[in-house]
Amino acid sequence: MKTLKSVGYVVALPLLLVLLWWASTRGEPNFFVPTPSALMEVFGPTWFEGRITADVLPSVGRLLAGLAIAISLGIVVGLLVGLNRTLRALTEPVFEFFRALPPPVLVPVLLLLVGINDGMKVAVIVVGCIWPVLLNTIEGVRSIDPVQNETTRSYGISGLNRIRYQVLPSAAPVIMAGIRQSLSIGLILMVISEMFGSSSGLGFTIVQFQRSFAIPEMWSGILVLGLIGLALSMIFQWCERRVLRWYHGLKEVENAA
Amino acid sequence: MSTEVLKPGRAAQPRAARTGARRPVPKWVLGLAGVIGFLLIWELVPAVGLVEPRFLPPASEVIMALIRDFGLTAFWVAVGHTLMAWGIGLAAAVVAAGILGLVIGMSPFLRRFTNSTIEFLRPVPSVALIPVAVLLFGTKIESSLMLIIYACFWQVLIQVLYGVADVDNVATQTAQSYGFSKLQRIRHVVFPTVLPYLMTGIRLAASVALILAITAELIIGSPGLGDEIAMAQSGGAVSGMYALVLATGLLGVAINIVMRQAEQRLLSWHPSVRGEVVL
């Protein structure tokens, strides 16, 4: 009974919404909104007959490559800058500017510098996603408890060991928040770099459907994008739970007290 | 007890003695040095020939182009268009998400009932809606608004829900035993707790709104700075394009500063702000 109830809570509203959609598209055929059945009909043929390997997987591959580079670079540079007071003050205004710069404007710039190719699309994602990770790493390193720093020093833990066992774990919750931000920016940039002067990829395909007024196909593309976003967010949450298990446990203890 | 006998370690000495006569360089001087250093590098990269000046004009040229832009009406009109889409979209999203967040957050049933839908819709990237916006509104400002409102709505809603969940149980029970009405409870118990969360949500949404305003202009061609950038790019006006990119960044910085100031002002009474050492 209990599981039934919780399943009910999960599926009730989505079912209601689908019903509403079905009911609202039943009478008058609306040009812009396909019926649920029409969308389901085109979904398979549109994506599973070649497009998934030609457009979707390369897009996702570029996104993951860009994110991996941005996250590792962001953490490494963030550690270097965060642990050095002078360097931090020196770079702060420049970094602030780049954080505030809306990432999509980098697409035309990199188009000039790199040209239209896979390198450009990955570069856009790296240059756009690195800032939240970098700045959050700096912030996380800066806000480490000073007592902990002193303790580490008096035990003679220094260099890589200190980074591995003290700095990274303390900064992890803040770094994770930065990575979460960069995931959604990365997905946006993946789509935009393909919409803006490109001839393949998921973003390009969706725009093609729109231009040729293949409305159900267009919506099915939007659905694919949504599913990718959902998958990314689920994978991230799973990773975050593993990485921050000790932290959430600590919070529970503190809140219970 | 004299220090000669004790021979204290470095840490035991007062700071001033450690740094000797060298006064630490103030932070803003270092920051300024960083900016100048960055501009120098940018100036030198095309001059030395690492990148062709055709693709990356030197900093001096771009800054001159930006100063020229500041004198043009068309530039300020574009800034106005971008800011209008930003402001209207942000305001609409904040009002809708704020009210809905309060309603959903205060009812345990609604919280559970809507959870799956919210979690499902939140990661859907708003740029996925670009084709729909084009079909419905073309290059009008409504296209920008649709993307901005969709993206900002989730940002704010999630924060408000966190905030309502954070309301102190004892405070709620106290308010109940004093016979507060629903509205009074919202006004005196829930709202003060939610406000810092709401402000965080608004601050995040403000930068997201700018990103999507520029995106809509760049891709769809709604009027504004992004559209100007796309035109400069396709017209081969390279230093003009870099000047506009610089202007967009400065706009982003300005929005961040204003938002942070507003947060400080509104929440000056709140422990999270009061307790912060202003660095």
Side-chain angles (χ1 to χ4, degrees), chain A residues 1-253:
Chain A
M1 196 60 224
K2 218 174 169 179
T3 44
L4 208 70
K5 209 170 168 178
S6 50
V7 166
Y9 269 120
V10 171
V11 295
L13 188 60
L15 271 180
L16 246 168
L17 290 173
V18 172
L19 269 175
L20 262 176
W21 171 26
W22 178 78
S24 59
T25 51
R26 254 190 79 221
E28 289 287 301
N30 184 327
F31 178 71
F32 294 117
V33 185
T35 58
S37 57
L39 184 62
M40 281 301 123
E41 260 165 49
V42 299
F43 192 87
T46 306
W47 296 102
F48 294 126
E49 288 168 19
R51 277 215 181 81
I52 193 153
T53 45
D55 289 317
V56 181
L57 289 178
S59 288
V60 175
R62 283 192 294 264
L63 171 66
L64 292 178
L67 278 172
I69 298 170
I71 290 169
S72 20
L73 263 181
I75 291 178
V76 171
V77 178
L79 283 173
L80 286 174
V81 174
L83 290 168
N84 182 325
R85 192 181 293 267
T86 315
L87 212 51
R88 211 167 58 212
L90 205 59
T91 52
E92 194 169 10
V94 177
F95 282 176
E96 274 302 322
F97 174 83
F98 277 105
R99 189 218 323 239
L101 185 73
V105 299
L106 298 165
V107 177
V109 171
L110 287 164
L111 213 65
L112 268 180
L113 292 175
V114 188
I116 299 181
N117 54 28
D118 279 0
M120 183 277 276
K121 290 170 193 163
V122 176
V124 166
I125 293 172
V126 172
V127 179
C129 291
I130 192 169
W131 304 106
V133 183
L134 176 64
L135 288 153
N136 275 38
T137 308
I138 294 174
E139 186 53 37
V141 172
R142 202 182 59 89
S143 55
I144 291 177
D145 179 28
V147 174
Q148 211 184 59
N149 274 334
E150 309 264 312
T151 312
T152 325
R153 195 173 308 141
S154 46
Y155 275 95
I157 302 168
S158 63
L160 280 180
N161 271 343
R162 178 173 166 229
I163 286 176
R164 165 83 187 74
Y165 294 108
Q166 186 226 338
V167 176
L168 272 182
S170 318
V174 190
I175 296 177
M176 277 316 219
I179 292 176
R180 177 187 275 273
Q181 277 174 35
S182 68
L183 287 189
S184 45
I185 292 177
L187 196 54
I188 289 176
L189 289 173
M190 174 192 101
V191 176
I192 292 177
S193 67
E194 289 164 357
M195 285 181 176
F196 200 92
S198 159
S199 55
S200 71
L202 191 53
F204 168 79
T205 314
I206 295 176
V207 171
Q208 278 306 94
F209 286 143
Q210 176 240 314
R211 286 188 184 145
S212 55
F213 291 105
I215 306 295
E217 284 85 353
M218 177 190 93
W219 278 102
S220 75
I222 292 173
L223 193 63
V224 170
L225 264 183
L227 289 173
I228 293 176
L230 190 66
L232 263 183
S233 141
M234 277 173 148
I235 294 168
F236 174 79
Q237 277 176 9
W238 180 82
C239 289
E240 189 180 44
R241 265 202 303 276
R242 307 249 338 210
V243 171
L244 301 181
R245 191 176 287 156
W246 59 271
Y247 173 75
H248 293 309
L250 194 72
K251 274 270 174 266
E252 271 169 30
V253 173

Side-chain angles (χ1 to χ4, degrees), chain B residues 182-203:
Chain B
K182 192 110 186 161
L183 272 181
Q184 279 175 314
R185 272 210 342 246
I186 291 178
R187 165 76 189 82
H188 295 288
V189 179
V190 179
F191 192 66
T193 313
V194 172
L195 195 59
Y197 286 89
L198 179 69
M199 285 309 295
T200 306
I202 294 176
R203 208 186 58 215

